[in-house]
Amino acid sequence: MNRLRFYLQLGFTLWVCLFMIVPVIMSVMAGLTTNYFVGLESGLTLRWVQEVWALYADTIWLSIRLALACLCFTVLLGVPAAYGLLRSKRRWANAMEEALLLPVAIPGLATALALLLAYGHMRGFRESWLFILIGHVLFTLPFMIRPVLAVMRGARLAELEEAAASLGAGFRQRFLGVVVPNCVGGILAGALMVVTLSIGEFNITWMLHTPLNKTLPVGLADSYASMRLEIGSAYTLLFLAMTLPLLVVIQWAGRVANRSRTP
Amino acid sequence: MTSTSLTLEGCGRTFPGGQVALHPLDLTVAAGETLVLLGPSGCGKTTTLRIISGLESPDAGGRVRFGERDVTALPIEKRDVGMVFQHYALFPNMNVADNITYGLRIKGLSRDTIRQRLDEVMAMVDLQGFGARRIHELSGGQKQRVALARAIAVRPKILLFDEPLAALDAKLRDRLRLEIGQLLRKLGITAVYVTHDQAEAMALGDRIAVMQAGRIAQLATPREIYHRPTSIFVADFIGAVNRLEVHATLADGLLRVSGGELRAPHLAGAAAVYCRPEDIQIAADGNADVRGKVRQSLFLGQSQRLLVDLGDNACLQVETASRRRWRTEDPIGLRLPPEALFHPERHAYPTKELEANHA
Ligand SMILES: Nc1ncnc2c1ncn2[C@@H]1O[C@H](COP(=O)(O)OP(=O)(O)OP(=O)(O)O)[C@@H](O)[C@H]1O
Ligand SMILES: [Mg+2]
């Protein structure tokens, strides 16, 4: 019985590897070989990576800038919003929570189209990266609110706040000194999602981008469509090199925050 | 520490939806006094405490005064109250020292004052050396000491406790109860203490307010509450009480009850008499007021509780020393001294002379 389970698990793991890890490795290798169609015999090279960097460095910077700005906005909007939802005893609080998921449920293309219809005529705004930022914030906000709200619900926040108030703390002091520090775990979990989603976001961004404002995934699509396969693959390689460390850092911060909190 | 008196005037609380948690209530706590709010679950203890703290406002017309000052409109953070909660409510993101000094830092006191105050209160609650501990590294008892230290560090005008020991085990509860009692005496601070544990109430309260369904049923000293309860509810809620039906009042202050006759001149004409199980004595035949049979005996360690059947469906609980062994159906004679008999609703209690006799 145990043996059977072991083999089933092993099989499943291998199967997952086959579809998740192998393609990534193939892609990375393709970005490093001199000629993909000839194969590894043609030798390894960094030429493609350099070429991508020369062509698309600005898309990478834009993506990072967008992700970080998006993170700032979702924290600044999401934490107070989650707190509001927590506190509100009204019936519409539940409805609000559901409504927050709408941008996830609606196809990104539709969200982008709506944004274009509403604000596309404002030239300066339309052409700046802030326009894309708004799309990203819309899309990622629920991923910040949900984990923060969950942590708030589990943390006996009301009692902590009452204790702080009895000790003389006004609303601002309570919010910054008690509420926020006690939902750091949720904020970090949300941050991980927000940054990941913002960096990889394609649908909305593709609709909203201008030739001067291309993000990494949009550039990637571009290069796949118009360049050698090796260049596209080298691009993937850079993408991974940018995002993996970022995600590892956020994960690690989450683990540290949790360790200092729970027994 | 200078302490403040506390007055509630006509403070009721009706929750949206019409739930009356508290009927309009008047209450005065003298400066330096500890008042215990005691009562069954849902009787409005917490609501009263929250009105005092400012976490809840009384219905229109209610007034809360600290000393001469009307604080009804002040939010909790302006009231200078210290609170200790059942589940500690310590800030998990801070260590012990930061928890205790939170209020001092909010007040913007100087670093030296804070340091000094911290050492002072840590010594008071016996937590020296725990400053750097994280909250989750503390036991329940230690957590509650930190909470206590945090509340007294800011030198509040009034200390409020909401069932602070309810989450602890029995032994620890006894010890902490003693310590809290000593601390309250030492600080001489005005305190309101909510509990549903009568032993805690007796030990800590200068006075006890027994609450029932949103009203105060009786407000008096622990002795008074125990020995001269003014309602059957109070008599029954605090300790155990026997009720014996009176069949007839005879001459000489004698009352005819099932199983015999009782001498109780102060209860002439009453339909029933009440007495506490520990006031009943086991008596030899000549001295017994009533006679019956043991129906059940319950060994409690420090004492035993007998259920004595007097016939006519009348039963008495008797608390007696635990050495002698009683079996079911053993015949037994009991003496119910006049000073042990009372009737709450008639406000009929033994006179001072009778009580002096007993002592
Ligand atoms: N926020 C609220 N909304 C509606 N009803 C409430 C609210 N808070 C308390 N009540 C009701 O008011 C009554 C008194 O509540 P309270 O919390 O004061 O009781 P308590 O004496 O502290 O009880 P316990 O010993 O269980 O803590 C209860 O019947 C309770 O259901
Ligand atoms: Mg309560």
Side-chain angles (χ1 to χ4, degrees):
Chain A
M1 193 61 222
N2 264 340
R3 266 193 109 68
L4 179 67
R5 223 172 73 186
F6 171 76
Y7 284 118
L8 277 175
Q9 283 172 343
L10 183 69
F12 183 71
T13 311
L14 288 176
W15 187 75
V16 168
C17 287
L18 204 64
F19 285 98
M20 285 186 69
I21 299 175
V22 171
V24 174
I25 295 176
M26 296 289 288
S27 184
V28 167
M29 288 313 293
L32 292 173
T33 40
T34 313
N35 188 327
Y36 183 68
F37 297 101
V38 176
L40 272 181
E41 302 90 81
S42 62
L44 293 172
T45 177
L46 281 177
R47 192 185 130 207
W48 308 123
V49 176
Q50 282 161 0
E51 211 155 304
V52 168
W53 187 257
L55 282 170
Y56 294 109
D58 56 332
T59 69
I60 293 170
W61 294 126
L62 178 63
S63 270
I64 291 177
R65 183 152 36 116
L66 261 175
L68 294 180
C70 184
L71 178 59
C72 288
F73 271 90
T74 47
V75 170
L76 289 179
L77 296 172
V79 178
Y83 182 76
L85 286 173
L86 178 80
R87 270 304 140 89
S88 175
K89 289 182 184 68
R90 307 262 158 74
R91 244 168 281 128
W92 55 257
N94 278 335
M96 270 306 282
E97 219 183 314
E98 304 300 324
L100 277 171
L101 278 182
L102 275 182
V104 187
I106 295 176
L109 292 176
T111 308
L113 196 61
L115 277 173
L116 281 173
L117 284 176
Y119 304 108
H121 57 277
M122 301 159 90
R123 282 260 130 224
F125 182 42
R126 165 77 186 85
E127 281 163 13
S128 86
W129 65 287
L130 294 175
F131 199 54
I132 301 178
L133 177 61
I134 292 200
H136 279 208
V137 170
L138 267 183
F139 175 62
T140 56
L141 192 57
F143 294 93
M144 177 59 74
I145 293 181
R146 292 229 145 192
V148 171
L149 192 56
V151 170
M152 282 178 170
R153 291 215 163 107
R156 284 187 180 277
L157 262 193
E159 222 179 59
L160 293 183
E161 267 195 89
E162 287 175 1
S166 76
L167 293 163
F171 177 77
R172 246 174 53 92
Q173 288 165 316
R174 295 199 300 262
F175 189 76
L176 297 177
V178 174
V179 175
V180 173
N182 282 301
C183 51
V184 167
I187 296 178
L188 284 171
L192 188 65
M193 288 303 288
V194 167
V195 169
T196 320
L197 289 172
S198 167
I199 286 191
E201 210 294 323
F202 179 75
N203 289 345
I204 298 178
T205 321
W206 184 76
M207 281 288 278
L208 299 182
H209 85 277
T210 63
L212 292 177
N213 278 330
K214 271 190 218 165
T215 67
L216 208 154
V218 174
L220 195 58
D222 231 43
S223 71
Y224 279 143
S226 59
M227 306 262 176
R228 296 181 58 134
L229 184 59
E230 289 86 347
I231 294 208
S233 299
Y235 207 157
T236 308
L237 185 64
L238 272 178
F239 186 107
L240 288 174
M242 313 280 342
T243 51
L244 281 183
L246 202 58
L247 298 186
V248 168
V249 166
I250 297 178
Q251 280 271 8
W252 170 82
R255 198 127 12 93
V256 169
N258 274 337
R259 200 173 320 135
S260 68
R261 212 148 305 274
T262 43
Chain B
M1 222 175 273
T2 54
S3 45
T4 322
S5 64
L6 159 72
T7 316
L8 298 185
E9 288 169 18
C11 284
R13 179 74 177 120
T14 310
F15 282 107
Q19 164 91 2
V20 181
L22 207 59
H23 296 278
L25 170 124
D26 297 307
L27 186 67
T28 303
V29 186
E33 184 186 27
T34 303
L35 177 80
V36 172
L37 300 178
L38 176 68
S41 189
C43 68
K45 308 181 293 287
T46 298
T47 305
T48 311
L49 200 75
R50 288 171 72 85
I51 288 177
I52 299 172
S53 70
L55 286 170
E56 201 86 68
S57 345
D59 294 340
R63 293 261 146 254
V64 182
R65 260 183 252 284
F66 289 0
E68 290 303 304
R69 182 153 182 239
D70 187 331
V71 297
T72 317
L74 288 186
I76 177 169
E77 59 262 31
K78 303 252 167 66
R79 284 198 189 183
D80 262 334
V81 293
M83 293 197 77
V84 181
F85 300 83
Q86 177 176 349
H87 297 287
Y88 324 120
L90 296 172
F91 307 125
N93 56 314
M94 302 177 199
N95 64 19
V96 169
D98 289 344
N99 261 281
I100 296 178
T101 56
Y102 180 83
L104 305 173
R105 284 180 281 134
I106 292 286
K107 283 196 162 131
L109 299 186
S110 78
R111 200 173 280 250
D112 288 342
T113 321
I114 291 179
R115 185 79 248 162
Q116 185 195 337
R117 209 65 93 71
L118 175 66
D119 293 341
E120 191 183 306
V121 293
M122 293 253 273
M124 271 188 206
V125 297
D126 206 14
L127 274 177
Q128 293 105 323
F130 278 81
R133 286 270 192 114
R134 313 282 322 174
I135 296 308
H136 68 257
E137 296 166 344
L138 300 176
S139 72
Q142 289 164 342
K143 280 184 196 165
Q144 205 51 295
R145 278 169 218 255
V146 175
L148 191 58
R150 181 179 68 178
I152 60 179
V154 291
R155 308 208 165 141
K157 292 203 178 88
I158 295 177
L159 259 182
L160 304 172
F161 297 84
D162 196 351
E163 312 215 19
L165 306 181
L168 304 175
D169 65 65
K171 257 252 165 4
L172 196 59
R173 199 155 58 214
D174 285 355
R175 206 171 98 208
L176 226 65
R177 183 175 79 199
L178 250 153
E179 288 182 18
I180 291 180
Q182 283 168 354
L183 195 66
L184 289 177
R185 301 276 120 73
K186 188 155 114 200
L187 295 174
I189 192 171
T190 314
V192 180
Y193 190 105
V194 165
T195 180
H196 60 251
D197 178 337
Q198 41 163 311
E200 224 167 286
M202 297 281 167
L204 290 174
D206 292 315
R207 283 188 304 158
I208 298 176
V210 182
M211 298 187 63
Q212 176 191 16
R215 294 178 212 273
I216 292 185
Q218 189 174 358
L219 174 60
T221 63
R223 263 166 213 287
E224 186 95 353
I225 295 259
Y226 192 78
H227 290 299
R228 303 169 85 90
T230 53
S231 68
I232 292 165
F233 171 80
V234 173
D236 206 38
F237 189 74
I238 311 253
V241 71
N242 286 302
R243 178 179 191 277
L244 259 189
E245 198 115 353
V246 173
H247 300 315
T249 304
L250 312 172
D252 283 347
L254 280 180
L255 304 178
R256 163 121 235 116
V257 297
S258 305
E261 284 164 13
L262 304 177
R263 235 188 70 72
H266 57 295
L267 291 175
V273 299
Y274 290 77
C275 70
R276 302 261 180 212
E278 70 275 13
D279 286 336
I280 301 176
Q281 298 149 15
I282 293 173
D285 271 2
N287 276 333
D289 297 316
V290 293
R291 256 170 277 273
K293 281 186 180 136
V294 175
R295 190 191 287 169
Q296 206 180 59
S297 75
L298 190 63
F299 183 73
L300 300 173
Q302 80 277 26
S303 65
Q304 63 185 326
R305 189 158 285 200
L306 306 178
L307 191 63
V308 176
D309 190 346
L310 301 180
D312 315 327
N313 283 329
C315 275
L316 276 182
Q317 286 191 58
V318 180
E319 189 142 333
T320 175
S322 66
R323 294 229 181 262
R324 181 162 171 195
R325 227 178 247 277
W326 291 94
R327 283 189 196 77
T328 334
E329 295 300 312
D330 280 352
I332 188 170
L334 300 174
R335 203 175 113 67
L336 281 68
E339 63 273 15
L341 302 174
F342 60 93
H343 193 297
E345 308 225 296
R346 289 168 68 102
H347 300 295
Y349 309 99
T351 54
K352 293 276 180 264
E353 299 87 79
L354 274 175
E355 277 181 336
N357 273 347
H358 194 58

